Amino acid sequence: VAELSLSAGFCTVYTAMELQNVMDSEAFHGAILGNDLTLTETTIPAGKTLAVPEGTTLTVSGTLNVYGGTITGGTATAGGGNVYMYRGTFNMNGGLILNGSANAAGNIYNNTSGYLNINDGIVAFGTAKATGGNLRHAATSCVTTMADGLIYGGTAPEGGNCYVNNGKFTMTGGSLTSLNGHMFHVTNTHAVITLTGVELVNEDDENILLSVC
């Protein structure tokens, strides 16, 4: 397993070439990240895994492309257990984002001019102490689009799977499953949620699709 050694401090920035050189090596099976990591113009191909240990979040400020790869196991004290988006673009084409945990957005936090595009990917088993078990969409400048993917098994007091307090969330095809918490939670701000041909499975005891406060 190849290991990325990161310098001390809040985050280390890897360019596409620097990270891809590690991931393209024949010996590479995963990456162990020691600090917060900012990925710029980076691709995670099929069969490759970024294993994100406790206390670490991937910060996307450029472009992150996932083609069948996996991001798993990250935690954050604030937002975005696995992925925190800040003025970046995250294109997920297949692949898995799993088992993240945070105060808000267990798996993905889309914030501040972020563009999140999920095509056939799976975002699952995220846990948040407050909002958005799997995904939080948090700014008017953000856009989240999903086609034929799966958001499954999120757990949070508000927004078991998705918490939208600004901006637009659009999903076509695929399915949403909430194990605990309301399927969607919208705060007292402007939010547009568009679902087309989406299977909704709400296993929460209260069986609430959308809550607003």
Side-chain angles (χ1 to χ4, degrees):
V1 177
E3 181 174 344
L4 300 181
S5 298
L6 307 183
S7 62
F10 177 73
C11 68
T12 299
V13 178
Y14 277 84
T15 65
M17 182 173 295
E18 290 170 337
L19 184 60
Q20 209 67 50
N21 285 343
V22 176
M23 296 182 66
D24 288 342
S25 68
E26 293 182 2
F28 179 84
H29 297 290
I32 300 171
L33 309 178
N35 295 90
D36 284 354
L37 178 68
T38 299
L39 303 178
T40 59
E41 309 303 327
T42 300
T43 298
I44 301 175
K48 305 296 185 180
T49 297
L50 288 179
V52 187
E54 183 175 351
T56 302
T57 286
L58 304 182
T59 300
V60 180
S61 61
T63 299
L64 172 61
N65 299 305
V66 174
Y67 294 93
T70 301
I71 301 174
T72 184
T75 62
T77 55
N82 273 319
V83 177
Y84 180 86
M85 299 177 60
Y86 180 79
R87 301 184 187 278
T89 299
F90 181 14
N91 298 312
M92 182 180 180
N93 300 284
L96 305 169
I97 299 181
L98 304 171
N99 302 321
S101 63
N103 185 64
N107 275 316
I108 304 174
Y109 196 125
N110 188 4
N111 192 26
T112 314
S113 302
Y115 287 84
L116 173 62
N117 303 303
I118 302 175
N119 299 297
D120 296 315
I122 296 175
V123 182
F125 305 119
T127 301
K129 294 180 180 179
T131 57
N134 276 315
L135 169 67
R136 176 167 177 166
H137 183 105
T140 55
S141 56
C142 294
V143 176
T144 297
T145 303
M146 186 170 184
D148 294 322
L150 174 66
I151 299 179
Y152 178 81
T155 300
E158 297 178 350
N161 267 314
C162 303
Y163 182 96
V164 182
N165 64 325
N166 275 296
K168 298 179 180 180
F169 178 86
T170 301
M171 184 172 178
T172 303
S175 64
L176 285 170
T177 299
S178 177
L179 300 182
N180 181 272
H182 306 164
M183 184 72 73
F184 286 94
H185 181 83
V186 179
T187 62
N188 58 346
T189 54
H190 181 70
V192 177
I193 300 173
T194 304
L195 305 176
T196 305
V198 178
E199 179 186 9
L200 301 177
V201 180
N202 196 341
E203 298 182 6
D204 180 65
D205 291 339
E206 295 182 307
N207 194 31
I208 293 176
L209 171 65
L210 173 66
S211 56
V212 180
C213 70

